Amino acid sequence: MLGSFGWAGLSRRIGNNAFMPKRNHFKHQKYSDQSPGANYRLVDAKLPPAPGTAQFNGAIASFSDRIVDFIDAIHITHGTFAGNDAFGWIAQIEKAIPDSGTPLRTLGKKFADIISSDSGNYPAGFAKLFDVDVPVNMFTWSGENTHSGRCRAAIELLAKLFERVEDQPRVLLWGHSHAGNIAALVTNLLGADDWVRDQFFSLLTPLFDDRKPNNALQKVRKAVEDPELVAKLTIDVVNFGTPICYGWDSGGYRKLLHVVSHQPRSGKPEYLAPILSGGIEASMGDMAQLLGITGSNFWPYLLTQSTRDTEKKLHEFLAPDLSRKDYLQRLRLGMRVAEEGTTLLVDYDNAHGWAKELAGHAIYTRKDWLAFHVQTVGDELYG
């Protein structure tokens, strides 16, 4: 249970079990300031034991004991701008010089790790902190702030999951920021009817190099043709600071948890953070989670016309009723709680200033908070 180490407290449970449908077919989540239908909780989190301490090791060992009967692997995924090609330039260079992609992306991720370390980023070596009895894998994607970047990442991640499905059929996707929306796309791919998948695959075709035999898109298209293979893959998801964006398909996952840094504002509903009604400090938590909603995507002006066309078509497919012009209107709502799963609204101890780094978006990846996060995930998903 939360608080067993004396460094976290839990308030009441609020809300009802409300789920987006099976065969959600990539339908976007709604934006509203009304009381959430899905579960949410208010949590007070004190600074947990630091890595290397006996209490930290105990928290990891307890987490390992809890998960071993439920999952076969953990896949950790970073968020936007922390990847190997945050502006999509390497992908364009690779079209002209095919052999340049892999070394340039390796350098790109190393550069992101040097700049950010574990502040809003899962750096190389982060997985080693998970001294658990299942494999812990790091998944790296471009980090682009576009539909195209996230959709391509969803295909690449799903391809890896299918490659390992015989040995690792039950997986936990652990993601920061828009990695959660990549996971949402994965659930829609797993839960969709064939005709909807085919539409999605067709839109993504320009993003994958046909010169490479059996690329990730081709692998996934082949895998989803086998219903038994799709049924074998079982996914649990925990998101940290994920902006409310793509919808979830409840037929594509088993368990879903969202963790969001938040402090209720006096005179406002406790589940909202309307930042435009009180300035930057009014966010009282993770402002980037609020700003990253649909409409905040970068437009790929510097890339090719085909890439721009693909981005436009993907927006029409994933968010047909959401204009960029209405972004501020959606932002004013200050929506924190997703329509699906359980959301923990966490008031993080800010004794070291970490809760305000990167507009409140960096604390989730701090190794110093990992003991709290593993205990929370263990309690909520495997308790």
Side-chain angles (χ1 to χ4, degrees):
M1 61 182 176
L2 281 172
S4 63
F5 286 96
W7 36 263
L10 177 65
S11 80
R12 60 199 177 282
R13 176 189 293 271
I14 312 169
N16 303 306
N17 285 318
F19 300 98
M20 299 187 80
K22 290 186 177 180
R23 294 181 174 82
N24 181 61
H25 288 168
F26 298 90
K27 183 179 179 181
H28 200 285
Q29 292 188 75
K30 296 178 181 178
Y31 292 108
S32 171
D33 59 0
Q34 300 301 305
S35 180
N39 285 342
Y40 74 93
R41 301 181 188 175
L42 303 178
V43 178
D44 179 44
K46 304 303 180 184
L47 188 66
T53 64
Q55 282 188 306
F56 176 88
N57 294 337
I60 297 295
S62 176
F63 179 65
S64 181
D65 290 342
R66 285 187 172 192
I67 66 175
V68 70
D69 291 330
F70 296 98
I71 61 173
D72 303 304
I74 300 172
H75 295 264
I76 300 174
T77 306
H78 61 80
T80 307
F81 305 127
N84 56 25
D85 187 15
F87 298 100
W89 296 339
I90 294 175
Q92 302 306 310
I93 295 172
E94 189 177 29
K95 291 180 179 179
I97 312 173
D99 294 336
S100 67
T102 298
L104 287 176
R105 288 190 176 91
T106 299
L107 287 174
K109 180 54 178 168
K110 286 184 178 179
F111 182 73
D113 288 353
I114 291 171
I115 294 296
S116 302
S117 185
D118 65 345
S119 179
N121 174 45
Y122 294 123
F126 190 85
K128 294 179 181 178
L129 296 170
F130 287 77
D131 186 13
V132 295
D133 292 329
V134 301
V136 181
N137 308 298
M138 302 290 287
F139 175 70
T140 301
W141 60 290
S142 68
E144 294 170 90
N145 187 32
T146 61
H147 294 305
S148 302
R150 293 188 286 271
C151 289
R152 177 169 180 152
I155 294 294
E156 292 172 344
L157 175 57
L158 192 52
K160 289 184 179 295
L161 297 182
F162 278 130
E163 285 175 1
R164 302 168 178 172
V165 72
E166 296 300 332
D167 297 324
Q168 300 174 7
R170 304 170 302 172
V171 300
L172 170 62
L173 302 183
W174 179 299
H176 175 240
S177 190
H178 272 305
N181 282 308
I182 292 170
L185 292 170
V186 168
T187 69
N188 279 275
L189 277 163
L190 293 174
D193 288 325
D194 291 341
W195 64 274
V196 180
R197 284 195 195 113
D198 287 342
Q199 287 184 41
F200 187 68
F201 291 149
S202 296
L203 292 174
L204 264 59
T205 298
L207 301 178
F208 290 86
D209 191 349
D210 288 335
R211 296 171 297 181
K212 295 182 179 180
N214 203 24
N215 62 38
L217 181 60
Q218 293 167 351
K219 289 179 180 178
V220 171
R221 295 193 79 150
K222 182 178 180 180
V224 296
E225 292 175 356
D226 184 350
E228 292 184 3
L229 191 65
V230 173
K232 186 177 293 185
L233 182 59
T234 301
I235 291 178
D236 298 335
V237 183
V238 57
N239 304 315
F240 295 90
T242 293
I244 293 173
C245 189
Y246 308 135
W248 299 82
D249 193 311
S250 56
Y253 73 88
R254 180 174 60 177
K255 298 182 179 182
L256 175 60
L257 176 67
H258 313 276
V259 179
V260 180
S261 177
H262 172 72
Q263 295 176 19
R265 287 183 58 199
S266 176
K268 299 291 183 180
E270 62 187 0
Y271 52 84
L272 296 177
I275 63 175
L276 294 185
S277 63
I280 292 176
E281 290 302 315
S283 66
M284 303 293 283
D286 185 352
M287 187 168 68
Q289 187 258 354
L290 299 170
L291 293 172
I293 60 174
T294 294
S296 64
N297 283 1
F298 287 4
W299 185 247
Y301 287 110
L302 300 179
L303 305 184
T304 64
Q305 183 63 46
S306 64
T307 303
R308 295 195 292 271
D309 289 344
T310 298
E311 183 70 12
K312 181 180 179 180
K313 291 175 182 178
L314 282 172
H315 184 85
E316 293 170 351
F317 180 80
L318 296 168
D321 301 321
L322 299 176
S323 168
R324 292 173 66 92
K325 297 179 182 178
D326 300 327
Y327 170 71
L328 290 180
Q329 181 179 341
R330 294 190 290 274
L331 187 60
R332 287 190 180 96
L333 299 175
M335 188 174 173
R336 287 288 200 203
V337 180
E339 286 190 280
E340 181 86 352
T342 294
T343 298
L344 301 184
L345 300 177
V346 182
D347 184 358
Y348 284 92
D349 184 344
N350 194 35
H352 294 279
W354 294 330
K356 293 299 182 183
E357 285 185 346
L358 295 180
H361 204 51
I363 196 165
Y364 314 104
T365 60
R366 281 286 188 185
K367 60 181 182 293
D368 299 86
W369 278 93
L370 184 57
F372 168 72
H373 290 141
V374 296
Q375 185 179 341
T376 300
V377 173
D379 286 343
E380 293 295 320
L381 300 186
Y382 310 110

